[in-house]
Each structure stands twice: as structure tokens, then as C-alpha cells.
Amino acid sequence: MQAFVIHQFGGPEVLQYQPLPVPELKPGEVLVKTAAAGINPIDWKTCSGGGASAFIGNLPFVPGWEFSGAIVNGNGTRWQADDRVFGMIRFPEPAGCYAEYIAVPADQIARVPDIVELEEAGGLATASLTAWQALFDKGQLKAGQCVLILGAAGGVGHLAVQLAKWAGAHVLGTASMHNHEFLGDLGVDRVIDYQHKRVPEHAKDIDLIIDCVGGESGIEALECLKPDGRLVTLPSVTKDIVAAAGQAQNRHVEAIRVMPDAAQLEQIIALYADDILRLQLNDSYRPDQLEEAFELSATGHVCGKLILSFA
């Protein structure tokens, strides 16, 4: 098979598309022929020596934690050959999803309904699980509450918007002006142009903030919270300074590391199949375009998800 491999940390130029043996299965694993893999910031951050690089051990390393595809070998599990599946697996340990075949834990994946395109499913798991766990596990969101999503047009943000609306929340979001119409179509009740407005002056008495931006933006947004509100911050690089600012202001701040969860994926894909949830695909890339995709992701201004297609 062919797979993307890094032999040293660095920029997109360190990615090599090269032959590797098809993975051998251990008990509880299935073999999947990959249709698509989601391209996430954690991928290029890890390849550069940041991100989850502390968990990957010795190089070489095959990036990628989310995928979609078809079962080739069910290996005695409940999965059968040709079953269409998707998932986010093993995170933050190495998962090797940027490859034509993947050895996948059978208990970390969910079935893709026939009406859902496999390529779309390839970019759904990580962002939707992050949004779900931030809103409902860490954020304890309840119907009728007011949610502010920083970076609402991004991969996680636009899914968090939809899940919060589905849960019965009043949703505010921050975005640059060119994304306001997009977010309005998703159901955001009010979009704040963070480039020209100070967010705390336009968002007050917030029950829950989902901080997809981090740093000074996350710290500034603490002013928006109700006294008993909470902020869930996603970017790992700035989580400590946001948490410290929250502690200094006597505000409740939670950091999050997304975890594989097949039961949550089953709920998410059911919402997706029913058109309650939709994934904004920014673009799909062939293997020979992955370096370009990494460079775009690193700008931090991507609306929706980037997909690596093995079709």
C-alpha cells in the first residue's frame, strides 16, 4: 500500500508518499480500505514536532486520526467485509490514517448509512466529536441556555453551532464578515465580527463559551460569562494561559482533549443522515496535493473541513 510518512519533524515538505506493508491485525482490530481522511490542525502540528508528537514515540510516523472507508477484514468482530465505516481512532496515540489501509480498533468506529457519502464521513468524526464533547460532556449544555462559539465558521465551530441549536440553545458566534451569511444559514442567532468589534461588548450573560480560537481571544471572552457560566477551551497550546486567566477572574474554565467514542459517533451520523447536521467541506485533496492542504490549514482561516481523498 501507499502511505504518508514523516522521517523527521518539519513543515509540509517532510511528508513522503511511499510504499509500506499493509498493517497486520491484532485481536479486536479490523482492516479498512481508506476512502478519505480528515485533515486537521493536529496533523500538521504533530508533523512539525508539536501537537501530539509527545505521544507518537520514535519516527517514522504516519499522520492522521480520522477516516472513512470499507471493511476488508472483520477479523472475528461484529464487522463484515464491505461494511462502510468511519471514526476517529487511538487519539492521541498513533493511528496512521493517512494510508490506503488502516488497522482500526473495532470498538471505536460507527457504520456510515448508505445515503451518506464516504468522502464526507471521512472529515466528520474528529470535529463533530470535539464539538459534542465540548458542548455536552465538558460544557453540560442544557436547552434554553445561551452559547457563544469563538471561531464559529471553522471545522469544529460550525458543527458546534448546529449541535447547540439542535439541543435548544440560543447561539452566538464570532467570525469575520465574509462568513456571516454562512453562519446565519446554519442557524446562528447573532454573529459578531471579531475583527471590528470587541466581543464582550456584544455578548453578555453567556452560559457557555466554546473557545475554538484560544489565546487572547479566549481570555477576553471570559468577560462575557455569567457568574456561574463556563468556558471550554480547545487549542492545547494556549489552554494553560486561558485556564490561569479564568482562575484569576474566578471563572470556570475547562480544557478538552477529544476522545474516541463510537456511541457518540452513532448519534452524530444519525443526525447527519437526517440532515439535522451538515459538514461544510472546504475542499478535497488528492495525495499529491497534501502539502498544499497543510499550508492552507496552517493559516488558521479555513471555513469548514479539508479532506484527503484516496478514492
Side-chain angles (χ1 to χ4, degrees):
M1 71 170 187
Q2 293 289 115
F4 281 98
V5 183
I6 66 164
H7 296 270
Q8 63 185 37
F9 293 120
E13 72 281 354
V14 303
L15 292 161
Q16 296 183 24
Y17 198 47
Q18 65 180 64
L20 285 182
V22 173
E24 295 183 4
L25 298 180
K26 299 176 182 176
E29 294 180 342
V30 297
L31 184 66
V32 171
K33 180 174 175 55
T34 313
I39 300 169
N40 297 294
I42 191 66
D43 301 337
W44 58 262
K45 289 177 182 178
T46 301
C47 290
S48 69
S53 59
F55 297 92
I56 67 174
N58 296 327
L59 299 178
F61 166 66
V62 178
W65 281 277
E66 72 172 334
F67 74 96
S68 64
I71 301 287
V72 175
N73 181 354
N75 196 28
T77 69
R78 70 185 180 94
W79 299 104
Q80 303 296 319
D82 298 325
D83 284 347
R84 302 164 79 245
V85 297
F86 81 120
M88 185 201 77
I89 58 172
R90 304 189 192 278
F91 188 78
E93 305 295 332
C97 293
Y98 282 19
E100 291 181 318
Y101 291 88
I102 317 167
V104 175
D107 60 354
Q108 294 183 4
I109 56 179
R111 190 179 305 276
V112 178
D114 290 340
I115 63 172
V116 176
E117 295 289 338
L118 272 181
E119 184 169 275
E120 296 174 17
L124 184 60
T126 297
S128 63
L129 281 176
T130 303
W132 186 286
Q133 292 169 18
L135 288 166
F136 305 123
D137 296 346
K138 294 287 188 179
Q140 300 178 15
L141 179 65
K142 299 177 179 61
Q145 289 187 324
C146 189
V147 180
L148 170 63
I149 299 172
L150 307 182
V156 174
H158 85 287
L159 292 167
V161 163
Q162 297 171 75
L163 289 171
K165 292 297 293 184
W166 167 73
H170 182 82
V171 178
L172 284 65
T174 67
S176 54
M177 187 61 72
H178 72 275
N179 285 320
H180 283 210
E181 182 177 355
F182 164 64
L183 290 173
D185 290 343
L186 291 183
V188 175
D189 296 288
R190 179 150 46 94
V191 187
I192 302 167
D193 180 5
Y194 71 93
Q195 293 178 322
H196 299 99
K197 297 178 180 179
R198 189 171 181 274
V199 175
E201 296 175 359
H202 298 271
K204 301 182 184 298
D205 297 323
I206 303 296
D207 295 290
L208 173 62
I209 298 172
I210 303 300
D211 170 24
C212 304
V213 180
E216 292 302 318
S217 296
I219 292 170
E220 180 185 70
L222 290 167
E223 299 177 38
C224 302
L225 285 173
K226 287 181 176 178
D228 60 347
R230 63 178 60 202
L231 181 147
V232 181
T233 187
L234 276 54
S236 58
V237 173
T238 60
K239 65 180 176 62
D240 291 336
I241 64 169
V242 176
Q247 185 175 20
Q249 298 179 35
N250 198 28
R251 301 290 192 181
H252 188 137
V253 175
E254 296 263 7
I256 184 172
R257 175 193 290 166
V258 64
M259 300 296 293
D261 193 308
Q264 291 177 354
L265 286 178
E266 289 172 358
Q267 296 178 78
I268 288 164
I269 199 66
L271 293 174
Y272 196 82
D274 288 341
D275 288 329
I276 295 169
L277 188 67
R278 67 178 169 117
L279 180 71
Q280 177 74 8
L281 291 180
N282 182 284
D283 210 345
S284 176
Y285 293 83
R286 302 185 307 269
D288 63 335
Q289 298 173 310
L290 182 58
E291 184 173 335
E292 175 187 342
F294 267 32
E295 291 172 349
L296 176 60
S297 179
T299 67
H301 296 288
V302 175
C303 178
K305 281 300 298 277
L306 306 177
I307 301 294
L308 173 63
S309 177
F310 288 93

